[in-house]
Amino acid sequence: MTKTIKQAQSNSAAADPFLWLEDRTSKQALDWVHRQNEITVGELQGDPSYRATFQTALDLMTAEDNIAVGAAINGHVYNFWQDKTNVLGLWRRTTVASYKTEKPEWETIIDFDALSAKESVKWVFGGASRLYPDFNRCLLSMSPDGGDASEMREFDIETRSFVENGFRAPASKSGFSWLDKDTVIVSAAFEEADKTQSGYPRVVKLWKRGTALEDATPIFEVEKEDLAAGAALEFDGDRRYLILARTLNFFASHIFLRLPSGENRRLPLPDDMTDSAIFRDRLVFGVRSPWTTPDGLVCKPDGLYSLDLARWVETGALGPVETLLEPAHRVSIAGIARTQDRLFISLMDNVRGKVVVCERNNRAWSLKPVALPENGNVGIAHAEHFGASVSFSFTDFLTPSSIVWSDDDGATLATVKSQPARFDASPFISEQFEARSKDGTMIPYFVVRRRDQDGPVPTLLYGYGGFEVPLLPGYAGVRGRLWLEKGNAYVQANIRGGGEFGPNWHQAALKANRQNAFDDFAAVAQDVVKRGIATPATLGIQGGSNGGLLTGVSLTQHPELFGAVIIEVPLLDMLRYTELPPGASWTAEYGDPEKPDEAAWLAAYSPYQHVSADAAYPPVLLTTSTADDRVHPGHARKMAARLQAAGHGKTLFFEETEGGHGGRGDRRPQAAQAAMKYVFLQRALSGTA
């Protein structure tokens, strides 16, 4: 085994013939990218069905009757909007009363197309931190290429202008929020000394108005090996808490409060605390693993607990911990949010959503369900921290999304927005099945197909399985029009590694247990075939980011199960992923290839090292982005090159030159990619490729 590991690591570096493709912007690498793009575009956009497919995707992505999802702040609902005219988008607002009407009267705050034309930079909106209490000043984040690194500028919403000589910082992965009108909290990642080895902020500073950014005062820092340092100002009634976080990895943090004395005092809570909120002087929190409090209460995963935070700040004593929500079988916490007077808990019950509202009176908690639709994906769309408005989203695979609004903390509900149907759902049915994985675990999955399906059809299986991220039922007009309406089926797998059933479901596929997620996905594929929904030849798979790793492993471990494979913005070289920023931030999920025992399990499945010239691989489409600063494009580039060099001629590669990891920005290239993927699937799974 040791010899195998050393050989694999050697192949991943010095002996890697495609290492040069890791140079993101070298002429040699980009020339290769352009040649690949020409082939893929010629193949897929040259298909007779492409033009209509692209136009349908673009029409749906930019439709003027799409729901304008927004959050209420101080009497206004804010929304970011893109359509065919506003390609890069409008940041805009309307009054709450107007938002509830069929045609709200929007006022534009920033027109990013106009700004981009003026400054000759394709600015992509990244959000805004607004200044309490009138929220008219904001720290605006804008990415120059759609990546995670963003420029920050101070902006005045009332005057619709950038503040002259206001706060401004160059593009980086830094974070900015207000302490007060003349002080900005900076989680800094500008210079190398300010960054962790993952490239995220290492130092928190206070930046005074009128001073240079480099003269900001450090107040907190973490180790170079940590994931990141972060900070946020939290309001709870008349109290303000400056919270500082030493994030060790994706699943562990040390939380500090900065006291008026200047002391950074650590909360004596477990590293794996999760789902936290401050409400009515209490800290509400969950845990990823069992934790016994000093007073003897056992806090369990998928439960919620609370302690007297105000008392701890004043006395340093933790005090008794209370149970707010008991854990329940196959029920997990999707998130928590608060208005001024209520706390809302979003739950997943066997991958279906519901919301509970909580009050605290007479030193006791009371909980009751919010009267929302059942048997779908229900979530909290927004909760107004300084008010009483709250909204909820509802959708499922066959029901268009809607927004249910309340101005009184969920007591009175009204559906204020409903997306029009994008396809005729009447011939289809949504079902939930279970597949038995290799170790006997039952893995739930959803199937959407025609009620009268008679025999196998082209079927798309989608999965993710990582980072506690759940895959929930959701309406997708593009998928409905371009896939389901053609008589095809769609399958969504809730494999381990995700967050569908809480921390234990995630931890069951963590690090050395990663193979469980891959086995789960294969089990679902086999069950889909067993049920007669598809055959291996008509079953395609798709996944992005960690899901790209999933589909990459599925390709190399079980090529016989699939007729087509789409690998999007993926991790694929797991023996070098920590060398490609910010890959070092994911060692808590996958393991560290520098440690021999962990390199062993990574080497056992790393797709890039397992490409075989002798395997019979189905057609493959790999996609990535030059501007992706979250998962390096080198993974997809090298995998495509290795597959092609091994003689697998049905390997296509496409790299977008902008848009970052999530494909933000202009909808046209997003529509083009969506169209190419559906053309690829239809050709491969119908036997016409």
Side-chain angles (χ1 to χ4, degrees), residues 235-542:
F235 292 83
D236 183 39
D238 295 331
R239 296 181 186 268
R240 298 195 318 167
Y241 297 95
L242 178 50
I243 299 174
L244 304 167
R246 177 191 176 190
T247 304
L248 306 177
N249 55 55
F250 266 88
F251 316 110
S253 298
H254 295 168
I255 306 299
F256 299 78
L257 262 64
R258 186 167 181 84
L259 305 181
S261 65
E263 174 193 356
N264 297 331
R265 184 195 295 174
R266 184 183 167 191
L267 273 164
L269 293 172
D271 293 356
D272 64 358
M273 183 180 75
T274 184
D275 297 312
S276 62
I278 299 173
F279 180 73
R280 294 290 182 89
D281 292 334
R282 301 192 68 82
L283 177 69
V284 175
F285 66 96
V287 292
R288 290 186 170 90
S289 56
W291 176 63
T292 302
T293 69
D295 61 338
L297 176 69
V298 178
C299 300
K300 303 173 184 177
D302 299 320
L304 281 177
Y305 306 89
S306 77
L307 59 86
D308 191 332
L309 182 64
R311 171 184 169 178
W312 178 78
V313 169
E314 293 169 4
T315 67
L318 190 63
V321 175
E322 299 175 353
T323 299
L324 192 163
L325 182 73
E326 288 279 7
H329 178 62
R330 287 225 161 180
V331 176
S332 60
I333 299 163
I336 56 179
R338 62 159 297 177
T339 59
Q340 187 166 286
D341 296 319
R342 298 289 188 276
L343 184 72
F344 293 86
I345 307 171
S346 178
L347 300 170
M348 289 179 290
D349 187 346
N350 200 26
V351 204
R352 289 174 169 84
K354 60 184 180 181
V355 178
V356 175
V357 59
C358 313
E359 293 184 69
R360 185 172 175 81
N361 295 304
N362 301 320
R363 299 185 177 182
W365 291 101
S366 63
L367 294 78
K368 64 179 181 180
V370 179
L372 294 165
E374 298 180 350
N375 297 320
N377 179 6
V378 176
I380 303 166
H382 99 282
E384 188 176 9
H385 192 97
F386 301 99
S389 77
V390 58
S391 64
F392 309 93
S393 59
F394 176 81
T395 185
D396 60 32
F397 290 113
L398 300 175
T399 305
S401 303
S402 59
I403 298 293
V404 180
W405 191 278
S406 173
D407 287 316
D408 53 9
D409 289 315
T412 305
L413 301 168
T415 300
V416 297
K417 301 291 175 190
S418 295
Q419 182 174 300
R422 300 307 191 196
F423 62 96
D424 180 6
S426 61
F428 299 97
I429 188 171
S430 174
E431 304 164 287
Q432 189 178 32
F433 299 115
E434 288 188 333
R436 186 179 298 277
S437 194
K438 188 175 182 179
D439 66 356
T441 302
M442 301 307 294
I443 309 301
Y445 67 94
F446 291 97
V447 176
V448 185
R449 57 176 172 167
R450 290 187 63 90
R451 295 175 186 274
D452 60 356
Q453 180 182 338
D454 183 18
V457 297
T459 299
L460 173 59
L461 167 59
Y462 187 86
Y464 185 77
F467 294 93
E468 291 186 337
V469 175
L471 286 185
L472 304 174
Y475 188 84
V478 172
R479 183 175 64 226
R481 287 280 294 280
L482 299 182
W483 189 247
L484 294 176
E485 281 196 346
K486 296 181 183 297
N488 304 326
Y490 174 75
V491 179
Q492 190 163 287
N494 299 117
I495 64 177
R496 284 173 289 182
E500 288 86 350
F501 301 116
N504 290 337
W505 195 251
H506 167 244
Q507 292 160 13
L510 203 61
K511 289 190 171 182
N513 296 322
R514 200 79 196 170
Q515 185 61 42
N516 284 337
F518 309 138
D519 291 342
D520 293 353
F521 199 61
V524 171
Q526 291 164 336
D527 202 62
V528 166
V529 171
K530 182 180 178 181
R531 292 180 186 274
I533 297 167
T535 66
T538 69
L539 181 60
I541 56 174
Q542 180 181 14

Side-chain angles (χ1 to χ4, degrees), residues 138-216:
C138 64
L139 303 173
L140 189 76
S141 291
M142 309 183 300
S143 169
D145 58 10
D148 290 347
S150 294
E151 181 175 311
M152 184 279 287
R153 299 186 202 176
E154 185 178 2
F155 188 84
D156 188 315
I157 293 175
E158 286 299 312
T159 64
R160 308 289 192 271
S161 62
F162 292 107
V163 176
E164 188 174 356
N165 299 319
F167 290 107
R168 182 167 179 168
S172 72
K173 290 189 177 182
S174 303
F176 304 89
S177 58
W178 294 101
L179 181 65
D180 57 49
K181 64 182 179 65
D182 292 318
T183 313
V184 169
I185 307 164
V186 183
S187 301
F190 298 103
E191 307 298 329
E192 283 306 311
D194 288 340
K195 298 177 184 178
T196 64
Q197 66 182 27
S198 298
Y200 292 113
R202 193 187 68 81
V203 184
V204 176
K205 305 177 181 182
L206 296 183
W207 181 15
K208 291 291 185 181
R209 187 179 296 279
T211 66
L213 175 58
E214 53 267 27
D215 295 330

